[in-house]
Amino acid sequence: MQQSLFPHLQHLIGLTNEEFDIFLGCLQSQKLKRREVLIAEGDICRYAYFIKKGCLRYFHNVDGEEITGQFFFENGWYTDYESFLLQKPSKQNIDALEPTELILLPKSELLNLYITIPKFEKFGRIMAENAFLGLRNRTELLTQQSAEERYLRLMKERPKVIERVPQHYIASYLGIKPPSLSRIRKRIMNNT
């Protein structure tokens, strides 16, 4: 646990060894199998999750169809921010696309860390800023770019998605159907 988390938090908020030890005492761990659900729509999100290994996907069910919202990979944090902050039922589903190992930070422990180690307030701010920027980028992606531009941007900015996520989830994320994604990929390959 220390190998992946300490450098990450050291970079973000500059924890001392003693502060990191206090933080470690707050954590839990969880493993998910491929396709196992972490949070289902209607559940309350009570944790911030650090992805030690694997990939999470959040999605919404719309008229029986899964609409993918985002992918999260190792060495990154995830939480259903609205449900986590307000402790109200989630409007999304989160599952593992690969066998996934998580480190869990309970909300109650995070609130205590804000008091005992004020540097964690910066951590909370950074997480909020990242959530906002992710939402803004997602909106821009879907409203200001063609499907091909969205795919090319994804290839450039997030190659892990292209390498590790099944094509039908990528198509859903891009707001297109799988056959359209296949045509885009074929066109790109023919032009290179």
Side-chain angles (χ1 to χ4, degrees):
M1 193 180 307
Q2 282 184 305
Q3 287 178 316
S4 54
L5 265 178
F6 186 73
H8 178 77
L9 287 173
Q10 184 65 19
H11 172 73
L12 281 180
I13 58 175
L15 290 182
T16 66
N17 287 334
E18 295 80 22
E19 291 167 335
F20 186 70
D21 287 341
I22 293 168
F23 172 71
L24 283 178
C26 300
L27 303 178
Q28 301 170 25
S29 62
Q30 182 177 359
K31 290 185 179 185
L32 299 172
K33 297 175 186 160
R34 182 180 173 276
R35 296 294 303 163
E36 187 173 350
V37 173
L38 177 63
I39 298 173
E41 184 177 347
D43 291 348
I44 294 175
C45 181
R46 302 186 193 284
Y47 302 94
Y49 302 93
F50 181 78
I51 305 164
K52 186 176 175 184
K53 175 186 169 195
C55 175
L56 296 177
R57 167 184 77 118
Y58 90 71
F59 64 95
H60 300 276
N61 283 309
V62 179
D63 298 327
E65 184 180 354
E66 292 182 1
I67 305 298
T68 299
Q70 194 55 268
F71 307 101
F72 302 89
F73 295 94
E74 51 276 318
N75 298 315
W77 288 89
Y78 169 78
T79 193
D80 177 339
Y81 215 63
E82 181 180 16
S83 179
F84 182 76
L85 287 176
L86 303 175
Q87 291 297 279
K88 62 186 243 181
S90 178
K91 297 175 185 171
Q92 58 190 19
N93 301 280
I94 297 87
D95 66 0
L97 293 184
E98 305 170 347
T100 300
E101 296 177 20
L102 302 169
I103 299 170
L104 287 61
L105 175 59
K107 181 180 182 185
S108 59
E109 295 288 358
L110 179 59
L111 294 176
N112 286 334
L113 286 169
Y114 288 163
I115 296 164
T116 58
I117 306 172
K119 291 176 187 177
F120 272 94
E121 288 187 347
K122 179 180 179 184
F123 171 82
R125 178 182 53 80
I126 291 169
M127 294 301 108
E129 289 170 353
N130 287 340
F132 169 77
L133 291 174
L135 183 59
R136 183 172 178 264
N137 288 337
R138 177 86 174 122
T139 301
E140 179 184 305
L141 183 82
L142 291 174
T143 61
Q144 298 178 10
Q145 297 179 326
S146 70
E148 187 165 329
E149 289 170 329
R150 292 193 294 268
Y151 185 74
L152 288 168
R153 181 175 172 181
L154 188 64
M155 285 176 60
K156 180 181 177 189
E157 295 178 2
R158 303 198 60 209
K160 280 184 187 179
V161 173
I162 303 300
E163 295 164 8
R164 294 170 51 184
V165 173
Q167 295 299 307
H168 62 284
Y169 294 138
I170 293 173
S172 172
Y173 173 74
L174 295 172
I176 59 178
K177 299 291 181 195
S180 297
L181 178 58
S182 293
R183 285 190 295 275
I184 289 168
R185 292 178 69 222
K186 184 176 181 181
R187 206 169 31 247
I188 291 169
M189 289 183 70
N190 287 339
N191 291 335
T192 56

